Amino acid sequence: MRYLRAFYPSEEDSYFKSRKIDRIEFAPVTIFCGGQDSGKSTILNTIADCMDYVFKNVYNPYECLTHEYDYCEENIVIESDENGNKIIPQNVIMLKNANMFVSYDFIDSTMTDSEWVLDSIDDFSEYNLCFLDCPEIALSIEQQRNFVDRIEQCAYLNGTQFVISTSSPIISSVKEALIYDLDVTPIKSREWQNVNVIRQYYKFFDEKKKW
């Protein structure tokens, strides 16, 4: 089951208008990939903020970045049953910038950023929908690889849907993920190896190989 189907950015919002994107589709794992100031966290938070109108009793947008945009539920298309009734996820969690959980669960404030993220890995299967904002910030390369393995397991075996913002080539390597390249205008979906951030990593290592 896939709860999020599509998101329609507001035509009045100058940010989305300038990026020339009319509709965002969602897969079991949807990734917004881009460099610094590409808007990957803004888009993630805008979608989550819009969903607050739908999931009033589930999602709590604490310190969300996008309340001033005033989106409403008509901007979001979510799963419906055979009678056309919206299927509301029972559990939603948002992990922001590797150090802030947004849910109705209390997290031990004595834990380090890395411990917070790693501690959440085993809990992903408990949620129907997970928003992850730049989870790579507190994780080593090996931890990121383990993180990806867990996302794939939860997405394709347990049915959890993920919406992720990242600039990490490892996090964005989740198999069968739908990846949006935010470093291009208009914003478009691309294969992993063609995403601008990934190509920059490849270019860097290719240049070092010539030394």
Side-chain angles (χ1 to χ4, degrees):
M1 181 176 290
R2 193 175 62 190
Y3 290 98
L4 284 176
R5 290 292 184 180
F7 170 69
Y8 293 91
S10 170
E11 295 181 357
E12 287 74 32
D13 181 66
S14 60
Y15 173 80
F16 289 108
K17 186 175 182 179
S18 66
R19 304 308 300 277
K20 299 180 181 179
I21 183 167
D22 299 320
R23 176 184 169 102
I24 294 173
E25 302 282 351
F26 294 94
V29 180
T30 305
I31 296 176
F32 298 102
C33 191
Q36 185 72 22
D37 298 324
S38 63
K40 56 186 181 294
S41 293
T42 300
I43 286 184
L44 187 80
N45 282 276
T46 300
I47 294 167
D49 198 26
C50 172
M51 290 178 62
D52 178 45
Y53 292 86
V54 181
F55 303 149
K56 289 183 172 63
N57 298 319
V58 181
Y59 171 72
N60 178 24
Y62 177 69
E63 292 189 8
C64 192
L65 302 178
T66 55
H67 278 300
E68 64 271 20
Y69 295 157
D70 195 27
Y71 287 99
C72 61
E73 66 180 83
E74 283 73 22
N75 293 84
I76 279 283
V77 178
I78 64 174
E79 192 83 26
S80 298
D81 61 21
E82 62 275 8
N83 297 318
N85 299 313
K86 293 178 179 178
I87 301 174
I88 306 300
Q90 297 302 307
N91 295 289
V92 180
I93 190 172
M94 186 168 186
L95 164 58
K96 298 181 64 175
N97 297 321
N99 60 14
M100 185 188 300
F101 280 88
V102 181
S103 73
Y104 291 112
D105 297 327
F106 291 98
I107 305 299
D108 186 353
S109 61
T110 64
M111 301 172 71
T112 65
D113 288 353
S114 179
E115 287 173 333
W116 277 3
V117 177
L118 294 176
D119 187 62
S120 74
I121 290 178
D122 290 332
D123 295 332
F124 281 159
S125 60
E126 298 180 8
Y127 296 94
N128 302 119
L129 178 59
C130 293
F131 291 90
L132 305 178
D133 184 7
C134 300
E136 71 272 12
I137 291 177
L139 300 178
S140 68
I141 292 177
E142 189 58 37
Q143 288 171 336
Q144 288 183 50
R145 296 182 67 177
N146 293 334
F147 201 69
V148 166
D149 290 342
R150 184 57 176 157
I151 289 174
E152 291 177 348
Q153 178 181 354
C154 290
Y156 301 118
L157 295 180
N158 300 330
T160 301
Q161 186 178 21
F162 291 87
V163 183
I164 304 170
S165 70
T166 187
S167 58
S168 165
I170 298 174
I171 298 296
S172 58
S173 70
V174 175
K175 68 179 181 181
E176 300 180 15
L178 174 58
I179 307 176
Y180 287 93
D181 189 346
L182 269 61
D183 286 325
V184 297
T185 299
I187 294 172
K188 62 178 68 175
S189 61
R190 285 180 164 177
E191 296 295 324
W192 177 85
Q193 66 272 15
N194 295 325
V195 174
N196 184 67
V197 168
I198 310 303
R199 294 187 65 83
Q200 291 299 319
Y201 276 95
Y202 176 82
K203 181 179 178 180
F204 172 78
F205 286 114
D206 189 54
E207 290 173 351
K208 293 297 182 183
K209 185 174 61 176
K210 297 175 183 178
W211 283 16

